[in-house]
């Protein structure tokens, strides 16, 4: 039986245009920082 798999990781940096690559890279860093900050808030509230 074949299982369906969900792809949770994609390569958003696969691009030939340097400007677009920089924008995506910066956007991913911003998303990561926001996620870390949210997790800090949850941890702080729980304690």
């Amino acid at each position: 039986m074949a299982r369906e798999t969900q792809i949770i990781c994609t390569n958003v940096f696969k691009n030939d245009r340097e400007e677009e690559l920089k924008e995506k890279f910066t956007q991913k860093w911003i998303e990561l920082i926001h996620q870390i900050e949210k997790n800090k808030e949850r941890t702080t509230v729980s304690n």
Side-chain angles (χ1 to χ4, degrees), residues 14-26:
K14 201 174 190 180
N15 194 334
D16 294 332
R17 293 186 14 220
E18 187 174 337
E19 187 61 35
E20 190 172 328
L21 173 66
K22 287 179 182 179
E23 288 176 24
K24 285 185 177 183
F25 185 82
T26 302

Side-chain angles (χ1 to χ4, degrees), residues 5-47:
T5 58
Q6 180 183 9
I7 298 173
I8 58 173
C9 183
T10 59
N11 186 352
V12 296
F13 304 112
K14 201 174 190 180
N15 194 334
D16 294 332
R17 293 186 14 220
E18 187 174 337
E19 187 61 35
E20 190 172 328
L21 173 66
K22 287 179 182 179
E23 288 176 24
K24 285 185 177 183
F25 185 82
T26 302
Q27 183 59 41
K28 288 300 172 185
W29 267 110
I30 291 169
E31 290 173 15
L32 180 63
I33 291 168
H34 285 170
Q35 183 178 359
I36 291 169
E37 291 300 318
K38 271 186 183 177
N39 289 338
K40 280 183 184 178
E41 289 174 12
R42 288 183 194 156
T43 305
T44 304
V45 172
S46 298
N47 290 335

